[in-house]
Amino acid sequence: MTKQQAPVAKNEYYDVVFTDLTHDGLGVAKVDGFPLFVKNALPGERANVKVVKVKKGYGYGRLIELYEPSPDRVEPPCPVYRQCGGCQLQHLSYGGQLKAKEKQVKEVLARIGKLDGVTVHPVIGMKNPWRYRNKAQVPVGEREGGLVAGFYKERSHEIIDMDACLIQQEKNDVVVQTVKRIAERYGIPPYDETTHKGVLRHIVARYGAATGEVMVVLVTRTEHLPHEQEIVRAIVREIPDVTSIVQNINPERTNVIFGAQTRVLWGSEFITDRIGDIQFAISARSFYQVNPEQTKVLYDKALEYAELTGSETVMDAYCGIGTISLFLARKAKHVYGVEIVPEAIEDAKRNAELNGITNVTFEVGAAEDVIPRWYQEGIRADCLVVDPPRKGCDASLLETIIAMKPPRVVYVSCNPATLARDLRILEDGGYETIEVQPVDMFPHTAHVECVAKIQLRL
């Protein structure tokens, strides 16, 4: 039997009509039923494309000429949008982005979860979808004898030098540029990942949107930071709102940004921020949502779906630094939070203390291990909240939920595909998905967060 030939060939040109967007923002066109994925293309557009890669069941193309642009096409305001891998949808109007994300959620729930009848609400967007990120993590390199700092070019480790990022808080741009100038002034050699030499790997800036507090983190390969005192004095002098200057040491050959060792060079170990009326202490390595305005929207929806009256026991799997737990605790009798990262649990306990919230218990461990033990100890959840990483819930946790049968489950998801998969498992285990609310946490990127309201089928 001969191998079936693809109807397209590499380096050939084709006229196509785009019909859809992928989950990562690529335009989808078909040539004789064969899918081509093309960057910077939008549904409804007619264009000429060049095929650049052919795989077994699909290919990739490059947009050569646009014959008929979409009415939703806009000119991206960012000067490095075409090179940078940070945003995928700046060429699509914001209204168009929200519609595309709603369509994506509906389609994956139907295709993966077989959940055609579930209500999916329109995506809750932002009034101003720019300058929302409260954390910048910027690699540092060298070009023509000078320092460069910016984000990586898409699918590469080539640094795009930039003065500003339009989805970052302006304060973070100022921090990165100022620290870059100071490091250059004192001749701090940037890290070279090829030779594993040099000192400064990343500049990390964290900003408390509600408090105005700024943290500067210098991620270095070496414990010794040349001209440390002079650099610290210069940062304090040139960044007026700085409240914390921290060095993180990462001596490994790795793409992971942070190393295990962190030391305070000046000021506090933490900055603080607020979501609603709850205060959070954020350290250099704390996980904290990067869009606090939309986080409040997301958590308010989770709280609404939990339907708490004050008498409930709630379990929060994947509780992180306690953000959702503390929101829920104000309306619940008691909240039990579990998280596998020990530092996050320390942060969660500190945040509970900071806010005077005493009806919470936090424990380190895997949710699929700890929650069954709580159940064996006689703790019964009236509501269980999950906020897992992109890979979704651990299969044994879903089995535990089905066995424990809490009347309500609230699922906060950063990946509609794994949400759909997990909802199917819960549905088959006796639960019913009532509604799903998508929230646009990351405008101009292809990501979308969702909150699902689930209850035990009567």
Side-chain angles (χ1 to χ4, degrees), residues 376-443:
Q376 284 163 6
E377 290 168 3
I379 301 165
R380 297 289 182 268
D382 301 293
C383 177
L384 195 141
V385 178
V386 294
D387 183 6
R390 289 190 63 76
K391 65 181 181 181
C393 286
D394 188 280
S396 58
L397 175 62
L398 294 171
E399 288 165 17
T400 299
I401 294 170
I402 290 164
M404 283 172 47
K405 294 184 170 50
R408 285 185 302 288
V409 176
V410 178
Y411 193 134
V412 180
S413 165
C414 58
N415 183 346
T418 53
L419 170 67
R421 178 200 69 199
D422 292 350
L423 289 179
R424 180 71 265 154
I425 293 166
L426 290 172
E427 289 259 344
D428 292 343
Y431 280 89
E432 181 182 9
T433 308
I434 307 299
E435 58 187 295
V436 175
Q437 175 62 69
V439 177
D440 193 26
M441 292 279 281
F442 308 102

Side-chain angles (χ1 to χ4, degrees), residues 4-79:
Q4 193 174 357
Q5 193 71 31
V8 300
K10 188 177 176 181
N11 295 328
E12 292 297 316
Y13 295 81
Y14 300 87
D15 285 345
V16 298
V17 176
F18 291 97
T19 55
D20 207 350
L21 283 176
T22 67
H23 69 278
D24 48 4
L26 300 177
V28 182
K30 290 186 177 174
V31 177
D32 295 337
F34 186 83
L36 282 178
F37 303 132
V38 181
K39 189 180 174 185
N40 193 33
L42 296 174
E45 294 188 328
R46 204 166 63 79
N48 182 258
V49 300
K50 178 183 180 181
V51 175
V52 294
K53 189 184 285 186
V54 180
K55 300 279 213 176
K56 191 176 177 183
Y58 58 93
Y60 290 94
R62 185 182 302 127
L63 196 63
I64 300 299
E65 187 180 351
L66 196 56
Y67 302 136
E68 285 177 24
S70 162
D72 280 324
R73 179 173 283 277
V74 294
E75 188 57 37
C78 174

Side-chain angles (χ1 to χ4, degrees), residues 1 14 21 28 67 70 72 114-115 122 125-126 148 162 183 192 223 226 238 243 289 328 371 397 444:
M1 187 176 168
Y14 300 87
L21 283 176
V28 182
Y67 302 136
S70 162
D72 280 324
K114 306 291 185 281
L115 296 163
M126 299 185 74
V148 292
M162 60 177 73
D192 183 326
E223 196 162 341
E238 296 176 38
T243 49
Q289 294 280 13
L328 298 167
I371 287 176
L397 175 62
H444 311 294

